[in-house]
Amino acid sequence: MDDRQIDPSEEAPEQHSLTIPQVVDLLREGEMEVKGMLPWSSNYTFLGQIHKDELAAMVVYKPRRGERPLWDFPSGSLYRREAAAFLISDALEWNIIPPTVARDGEHGIGMVQLFIEHDPEEHFFTFRDPWPEELTLIALFDVLVNNADRKGGHCLRDAQGRIWAIDHGLCFHEEPKLRTVIWETAGQPIPETLLDDLRRLQLCLKAEQPLREKLNRLLPPKEIRALQQRLAELLQTEQFPLPPPERRHIPWPMV
């Protein structure tokens, strides 16, 4: 693979204002050109530019064959988990994950995600006070998808001040794996509006629903069942869980 590293701030063009379906279509159908490798990533991660008709956008591309093997997640599955995480965020209408698809690219099949232009010096620990609303959504989302790697640097703030969540390759394991730096909501009641969103998601996860059919192509059945179980538990308890005392619940490094 090409090890040439690149500064994304030097490549990002001005992007048009598009709806989420338009961006998803662009990511799936557009012609993608890899510009170079992004620094500081544990797996091979590339910056690319994607074109379709008059539309263009910068994207992050993580090919399957650039994934580092892990002992507790199946090899070659991380890109599918990234795509599945976006589907859940989109179904909830929380819009905290940039549009993400699984598709072929220069280095084979992988994850392609809309690039969010941001200040790399900013992260969860620099903008959590005062507490932004998006962080409550991200905290609940991580419980739902069983995120094993919510580092502070996996929260970005764009030029408009909106906060996004990225890097969801270590999600959806059927065993409890939650590791996150966001524990400020632990033990608190889940707001009723978010419970309504979870109830709507529960219906979308039923067999033969469009969302369920899409997830079936990305995740094994046991992980979808575990997702449904976590969702049911959240609706039953109606509160954010406390940190588990029996295992490590914070990722390292924290940023």
Side-chain angles (χ1 to χ4, degrees), residues 13-191:
E14 183 177 351
Q15 297 182 10
H16 297 279
S17 177
L18 303 176
T19 65
I20 290 178
Q22 286 175 318
V23 175
V24 170
D25 179 70
L26 175 61
L27 298 183
R28 285 181 179 152
E29 305 296 334
E31 181 178 348
M32 184 169 60
E33 176 188 0
V34 171
K35 297 291 187 178
M37 193 168 73
L38 290 169
W40 311 303
S41 298
S42 56
N43 297 306
Y44 276 82
T45 302
F46 298 90
L47 183 72
Q49 189 167 11
I50 202 161
H51 306 265
K52 183 183 179 185
D53 301 326
E54 299 301 317
L55 302 179
M58 300 306 296
V59 296
V60 174
Y61 167 45
K62 298 181 182 179
R64 178 178 62 184
R65 66 190 185 99
E67 295 177 3
R68 182 180 61 180
L70 300 168
W71 70 270
D72 54 347
F73 281 82
S75 296
S77 72
L78 304 192
Y79 78 97
R80 296 199 304 269
R81 299 171 190 277
E82 296 251 27
F86 167 71
L87 290 178
I88 298 297
S89 169
D90 190 47
L92 289 164
E93 298 181 3
W94 289 356
N95 300 326
I96 53 174
I97 299 179
T100 310
V101 303
R103 59 160 285 177
D104 277 315
E106 182 177 319
H107 300 297
I109 193 161
M111 176 278 273
V112 176
Q113 182 176 85
L114 181 70
F115 172 74
I116 301 298
E117 192 169 2
H118 63 283
D119 182 350
E121 298 300 319
E122 286 197 306
H123 48 73
F124 168 75
F125 296 106
T126 68
F127 53 60
R128 63 178 174 177
D129 187 22
W131 187 260
E133 179 183 0
E134 295 99 324
L135 291 180
T136 299
L137 299 180
I138 294 172
L140 184 55
F141 181 84
D142 287 342
V143 176
L144 177 63
V145 302
N146 196 22
N147 191 350
D149 194 36
R150 174 63 69 204
K151 296 181 173 71
H154 295 171
C155 298
L156 312 178
R157 183 159 59 183
D158 67 17
Q160 289 71 46
R162 182 174 175 178
I163 294 174
W164 299 85
I166 63 167
D167 284 338
H168 296 93
L170 301 187
C171 291
F172 298 106
H173 203 286
E174 71 271 19
E175 299 176 4
K177 294 276 186 182
L178 181 61
R179 289 192 293 270
T180 174
V181 296
I182 308 177
W183 287 106
E184 283 80 353
T185 57
Q188 296 182 14
I190 299 172

